[in-house]
Amino acid sequence: MIIGLDIGGTHTDVVLLGQDGIIKNVKVKTDQEDLFSSVLNALDKITESVSYSDIKRIVFSTTLTTNAIAQNKVSPIGMIVLGGPGLDPNYFKTNRHYFVISGSIDHRGREIESIDNDKILKTKTALELEKIKHIGVVSKFSVRNPSHEIKIRDKLKDSFDKIFLGHEVSGNLNFPRRIATTYLNASIYPLHKHFFEAVKGSLEKKGLKAPIHILKADGGTMNFESSIDFPAQTILSGPAASVMGAIPYAGDNEEVLVLDIGGTTTDMAILINNAPVLAPMGIEIGGYKTLIRALATQSIPLGGDSIVNVINGKITIGPDRMDSAMIYGGKYPTPTDAFSIMQKINNIDNQQAILGLAPIALELGLPIQDIALKIIEQACNEILAKAFEMIDKINSKPVYTVHELKEGHQIKIQKILVLGGPAPYFKEYLEKFSKIPVMVVPKWQVANAIGAALAKTTCEVTLFADTEIGKVTAVEENFSQNIRRDFNKSDAIDIATKLLKEKVVRQGDGSEDFETEILEELQFNMVRGFYSSGKNIRVKVQVKPGLIKGYKI
Amino acid sequence: MLHAKNKTGLVFFPAFDWAISPTHPEREERLLYTQDQVFEEGILDIDGIVEYKPDIVTIKDVQRVHFCVPDVNSVMTESHFISAGGAKKIGEVVCRKEVDRGFALVRPPGHHAMRVVHGARGFCNVNIEAIMIEYLRTVYPVEKIAIVDTDCHHGDGTQDIYWHDPNTLFISIHQDGRTLYPGSGFINEMGGPNALGTTINIPLPPGTSEEGFLYAIKNIVLPILDEFKPDLIVNSAGQDNHYSDPITNMSFSAQGYADLTSLLKADIAVLEGGYSIEGALPYVNVGIILAMAGIDYSRVKEPDYNMDSIRQSYEITRNIQKTGDAVIENWQQRESMKRQIKMGKQYDVRTRHVFYDTDGIFENQYERIRICQECAGVLQIDSSSDRGRRIFAVHIPIKACHVCKEMGYQWFDSAKVSAFDKIFLQDRVKDEFFEKSRNSQVG
Ligand SMILES: [Zn+2]
Ligand SMILES: [Zn+2]
């Protein structure tokens, strides 16, 4: 049996899954002031009359770090940043204790300027005076050569509790995002560590010793131990939970739009052949652009409880949610009320909805049924327009080879999966206006917790080889090896895949089946003068996101 | 927070799978380190910098500019369609006012490609700026366009295409043609009789540094632009004036290129040459992008940059001042020179030999233009190559007068298919293209 737990803003959903399907699910209110109690309370309820030894894993999706960043309730940390030619690193200042120090590396990983050791020592003293315990160190092009970051860590490791290094957060090039991501990791580290150690401790005390995994924004998981070094990966996992929960209903090789229609907003994502489409760079949160892998998502402030108004003779829906729908005692008309007028909601008295929509009908001079239909049509069309805008954006993503430009895959949606409270009412209308088959995700109420429970471990490895310099490196993995001149792309793919397999075992539970895929494989002939001086090889591989096998729903 | 003062569009198309040949300067690796630097600087995340995917130009887009022999598909690879499409995309978003300015960081380049194309010369097959410009002129209300070519090599292809067009001001700043390919671009090359003065060449001596380039921009280019008042300024932004470029002899720098970009305020920049792919391009391109966007570029410097070691000599400074004085004098006297040259003439002819160095083709051209007081004048070209191909081409300019239009069709109709492989008519007024040959009539 496995447990999936999704701590949302208002509710916490927990599900207990066995091989044959859902054994039990529980919904409790989330106490934002005391998430710890909310979690334990939910776990107590779900494990009542279950033997702890039968539980094989527990997966958490939490808003803990997300909220801390949004509310700026993070720990003060120190940032040491090394730039070099280009934009002034002070443009990327993340926090008060932000020190720019000279020392630089170029695009090939060659040192251009050595570290200013004097300034390092002065910075150390300044940070110690401020009683800073955790720091981040980031240098430009550290993904090509992390030696500056490592040297600084070695110099300072006795003065601080934990030091986060930029090259460890991602293999991607993007200095400002590397700074922001390292900063977020360092600044939410104490909170994340404290919380999960407390949860783990309490569970162990009760005798529940199943491994703990944490859901990430890319719809994959990592084990608790790995999350300690990369707590920022847990940010914004909520939207991913529901999308992963919809996967069992997407067909093989199908391209599917997932719409999570709530009371206030509708969230959107895309599945291709049972795997979510990821955003090209990384999540943005609290004004920080990061390198944290995440699903490509889009949100629109339009849901079942959005307020319906008439402005200048035109119906508007949202962006605010004032209250529940009028049929449920609210004061303002909503799309849900429109559905009740169209007789789409069973066993409900729609008298209040009729009263609510009457002024709109009067103002626009149309029968109330027509108004209700107009509202529904408009809500559907606005949601669909936003979704197709997102798909267009993904399809028009810049590419850098002739081959990709000519043959690049274009997403074409074959099915829409909807979840959320108003989803069943929206179904037939979304189908009518999109002309695409629509299906309501069964058990959508717990799809988020199911998604968390079943999400596989995900990770990626970025490898860079330069046969002129004679080195192959995968800086995130702390891997570096000398290579000969005849080292080639297929050698690079072999090494990257081997490192990836080790990583997925390290970050997962060691027993999952997984599929590796190549995201990038480039090999350039470097020519200096009129002769080939070596090869410049870039490889990126990942574990394909998806659901673990062996559990029916 | 970083914010672009001028909203800037960017098409980045490094064509990582295309090369002229494996060790050619125009190879896959050329923009690799530029991409590294642009990505690592996080430039695409800056508020107000927008990246666009390139379009792919159509055959019609190409035929607004070129007469391709024997046809468009024979002289272009897919990469050329995309590189021209990158420029077209940037032109479009600028003209639609989605962005204030734009930079097409694309390869392969185009400024050595002339109106008639038998193959590749100077690494160029088709003229990507001209394809963009003629598209924009067809779709958007832009008429007067200035092209400032700051590539180290003379933009002889662009010069050829706009030689007879008084509505296109072509200014090329380049290393003196006596010392570098293609060996042209002298002060006395000023345009055809109907457009005398709107072709301007500013040859600079080898060793010219920041001081010399910026002098030329401030004292020659900007005053002329002010007077011409273009609807659109296009910069053919070659980067081979750099002190580390392996195929040229100048001493320009990333800071210099960025300053030049700030001064010029081009609406559109299109990458041309530049072959110091590690030492220059990453820094020059970042400098140009930041300068276009109006963002501080003062720290964008090559790792080995040393202002003193690239300083130009006093002789060079004097030489450039003299060139500047001569160019400005020609510019001021252009109307009277034009009147004189046109006086009493009905047609003007020129005969020339064009060498396609990249493909090793020799072409002979005989060109005849109608001297016209009303328009740019109808043009005919009889072109043959040592590959045994011969074509006859007629160009009717976009604002052609009635007489020139009629004459263009007459020339086309009366040309004998027996004498040529192909006979072309480019009617820019109606935006149409016709061809005929022995095998097929008007198509
Ligand atoms: Zn050049
Ligand atoms: Zn005329």
Side-chain angles (χ1 to χ4, degrees), chain A residues 463 472-481 495-496 498-499 502:
Chain A
L463 194 95
V472 55
T473 51
V475 292
E476 293 167 278
E477 319 315 313
N478 245 324
F479 174 86
S480 173
Q481 208 171 62
I495 295 181
K498 182 174 152 280
L499 291 170
E502 289 166 15

Side-chain angles (χ1 to χ4, degrees), chain B residues 355-393:
Chain B
F355 177 49
Y356 293 73
D357 58 304
T358 307
D359 281 348
I361 300 170
F362 287 93
E363 177 197 5
N364 283 314
Q365 268 191 30
Y366 171 81
E367 188 191 274
R368 180 178 162 94
I369 187 157
R370 177 171 182 263
I371 303 290
C372 185
Q373 309 301 331
E374 312 292 322
C375 75
V378 61
L379 173 74
Q380 57 163 269
I381 305 165
D382 178 342
S383 156
S384 50
S385 78
D386 63 347
R387 300 281 161 96
R389 292 212 165 88
R390 185 174 175 201
I391 59 128
F392 181 77

Side-chain angles (χ1 to χ4, degrees), chain A residues 96-366:
Chain A
R96 192 170 137 224
H97 309 297
Y98 182 93
F99 298 86
V100 176
I101 285 174
S102 49
S104 66
I105 305 277
D106 79 355
H107 52 264
R108 293 272 297 279
R110 297 168 298 207
E111 183 178 65
I112 299 171
E113 191 187 5
S114 57
I115 305 169
D116 181 347
N117 282 317
D118 245 26
K119 186 87 188 286
I120 292 285
L121 294 177
K122 281 188 192 133
T123 304
K124 182 188 98 160
T125 313
L127 288 168
E128 280 174 335
L129 267 173
E130 296 281 345
K131 304 209 166 20
I132 296 292
K133 295 274 185 289
H134 309 116
I135 64 169
V137 181
V138 183
S139 87
K140 192 179 279 183
F141 283 117
S142 63
V143 293
R144 292 288 157 79
N145 174 357
S147 66
H148 282 180
E149 291 178 1
I150 290 168
K151 270 185 200 151
I152 294 173
R153 179 191 59 198
D154 291 347
K155 232 181 251 305
L156 301 183
K157 67 172 183 283
D158 297 329
S159 311
F160 301 96
D161 288 354
K162 191 159 174 74
I163 302 177
F164 289 84
L165 302 186
H167 71 273
E168 291 175 342
V169 301
S170 163
N172 290 342
L173 290 172
N174 195 315
F175 182 50
R177 283 181 185 255
R178 190 175 313 124
I179 294 170
T181 311
T182 307
Y183 164 73
L184 290 177
N185 269 314
S187 65
I188 58 176
Y189 161 75
L191 175 76
H192 176 82
K193 183 167 184 275
H194 179 255
F195 179 81
F196 278 100
E197 276 176 356
V199 170
K200 198 169 170 13
S202 306
L203 295 182
E204 276 172 5
K205 220 182 274 168
K206 292 201 306 182
L208 182 45
K209 290 190 175 121
I212 290 178
H213 297 261
I214 296 166
L215 189 70
K216 305 185 295 173
D218 68 355
T221 57
M222 62 180 165
N223 59 33
F224 163 71
E225 290 72 24
S226 309
S227 78
I228 296 297
D229 288 333
F230 305 101
Q233 305 250 17
T234 67
I235 294 167
L236 288 180
S237 62
S242 307
V243 176
M244 297 310 285
I247 287 181
Y249 308 98
D252 290 348
N253 298 313
E254 263 185 350
E255 310 204 328
V256 176
L257 169 66
V258 181
L259 297 175
D260 186 353
I261 309 175
T264 319
T265 60
T266 296
D267 296 321
M268 311 159 184
I270 311 288
L271 298 172
I272 296 180
N273 191 20
N274 296 313
V277 173
L278 299 186
M281 285 304 275
I283 56 174
E284 290 186 41
I285 181 170
Y288 299 105
K289 289 182 174 168
T290 74
L291 289 168
I292 301 163
R293 275 164 44 114
L295 305 193
T297 53
Q298 184 69 261
S299 186
I300 176 174
L302 195 166
D305 299 340
S306 295
I307 182 167
V308 176
N309 275 316
V310 178
I311 296 170
N312 301 327
K314 283 209 156 60
I315 292 172
T316 63
I317 310 170
D320 299 317
R321 174 196 188 270
M322 314 296 289
D323 208 341
S324 338
M326 297 184 80
I327 51 168
Y328 298 119
K331 289 196 274 300
Y332 306 93
T334 66
T336 301
D337 295 308
F339 285 117
S340 81
I341 287 169
M342 299 309 291
Q343 312 283 340
K344 295 297 160 195
I345 306 177
N346 295 330
N347 309 319
I348 193 90
D349 175 7
N350 65 13
Q351 202 49 46
Q352 286 305 313
I354 292 170
L355 284 176
L357 261 56
I360 300 176
L362 199 67
E363 184 169 351
L364 299 181
L366 287 168

Side-chain angles (χ1 to χ4, degrees), chain A residues 108 141 177 289 400 528, chain B residues 36 40-41 45 51 278:
Chain A
R108 293 272 297 279
F141 283 117
R177 283 181 185 255
K289 289 182 174 168
Y400 305 117
R528 300 297 174 264
Chain B
D36 284 349
E40 178 68 352
E41 297 289 347
D45 280 332
E51 188 184 13
E278 282 206 75

